[in-house]
Amino acid sequence: MSRVAVATGAGSGIGRASAQALLGAGYRVALVGRREAALAETAARHPNALVVPADVSDPQQVDTVFDRVVTEWGRVDVLFNNAGVFPVAAAVDELPLDEWNRALAVNLTAVMLCSAAAVRVMKAQSPQGGRIINNGSISAHAPRPLSPAYTATKHAVTGLTKSIDLDGRPFGITCGQIDIGNAATDLTQSIGITEGALQANGSRLVEPKFSVQHAAKAVMLMAELPPNATVNSLTITASGMPYVGRG
């Protein structure tokens, strides 16, 4: 029987490409996100796709997602925590509190909520276990200018990832993080990658980017490993982007 995956933020970008790669590999995939129409586009009427609109920062909606997946398919083998937002660009003294809270809710709390729900299922199912993949960012290692909220949440995801992986060991549950730099998505477009992104020295630079399909291949590498192997941390970037040596 095919394995079951849940992908958040599946309506566009890396989430869409990864969900479609999972479907192509024979997984049954729950497509989770706020925009039902976008999720339906990702599903493209695939028989193994389940469209589940939800706000993953809402604990009740998250529980409903996983209840529905278990009702439909009986288990969860892979969770890809991909949903994320990039708040308004601002230094910490100018950052609106609502933008800080929005970043925390989507980039961090949602990862915790979905991971908690997945772990509960993975502990209870037979055979026990599963894999969680968290989409971090290269900002988990080095920030962009004017990104305190985004950077803080992505650093926090790293700690959460390690903690989940540690606590999951007795139950056959692994948790790893993929840090992606400059995949061609609406999110990277929003910070000016194509027109010229702000650099640490105050200049602007048109940065290299790469296809989301390659990011999806990296996610699949992590997802497809056997239970006795895991990728704790994987970084994939556009060749030549200003990451190594940033700042």
Side-chain angles (χ1 to χ4, degrees):
M1 185 174 290
S2 59
R3 294 200 291 167
V4 176
V6 176
T8 71
S12 63
I14 294 165
R16 171 175 286 180
S18 299
Q20 290 176 336
L22 287 161
L23 287 167
Y27 285 75
R28 292 170 288 176
V29 184
L31 310 173
V32 185
R34 297 184 188 219
R35 299 172 297 143
E36 185 171 5
L39 297 175
E41 289 179 7
T42 300
R45 298 187 178 181
H46 197 291
N48 286 338
L50 180 66
V51 172
V52 192
D55 175 355
V56 290
S57 67
D58 182 321
Q60 291 184 332
Q61 293 188 48
V62 169
D63 286 344
T64 298
V65 167
F66 283 85
D67 287 346
R68 185 172 175 193
V69 172
V70 171
T71 298
E72 292 280 342
W73 293 325
R75 62 184 294 110
V76 174
D77 297 291
V78 174
L79 165 64
F80 181 35
N81 278 313
N82 169 73
V85 295
F86 200 97
V88 63
V92 69
D93 59 311
E94 299 174 340
L95 180 69
L97 182 58
D98 60 346
E99 285 291 288
W100 171 264
N101 288 334
R102 183 169 72 100
L104 285 175
V106 180
N107 295 353
L108 182 58
T109 300
V111 176
M112 182 277 290
L113 291 172
C114 290
S115 296
V119 166
R120 284 191 286 269
V121 175
M122 291 171 179
K123 283 182 176 181
Q125 64 196 14
S126 181
Q128 192 178 60
R131 188 180 306 279
I132 297 172
I133 302 168
N134 292 332
N135 189 351
S137 167
I138 59 169
S139 290
H141 307 274
R144 287 187 176 277
L146 306 180
S147 66
Y150 187 79
T151 299
T153 57
K154 293 306 184 178
H155 274 69
V157 166
T158 300
L160 180 60
T161 298
K162 293 177 180 179
S163 185
I164 294 169
D165 188 63
L166 177 61
D167 294 338
R169 286 179 186 175
F171 309 99
I173 299 168
T174 63
C175 187
Q177 181 168 321
I178 181 167
D179 295 322
I180 301 169
N182 285 14
T185 66
D186 291 342
L187 186 63
T188 53
Q189 189 79 6
S190 72
I191 58 175
I193 298 300
T194 302
E195 296 80 14
L198 182 64
Q199 305 297 305
N201 65 0
S203 67
R204 290 194 174 269
L205 177 69
V206 175
E207 298 183 8
K209 55 188 178 181
F210 70 104
S211 169
V212 292
Q213 305 304 325
H214 300 310
K217 288 180 181 179
V219 172
M220 288 301 301
L221 168 68
M222 299 175 73
E224 290 279 71
L225 287 173
N228 64 348
T230 190
V231 173
N232 299 114
S233 176
L234 186 156
T235 302
I236 178 171
T237 72
S239 299
M241 71 165 290
Y243 163 54
V244 176
R246 183 187 285 185

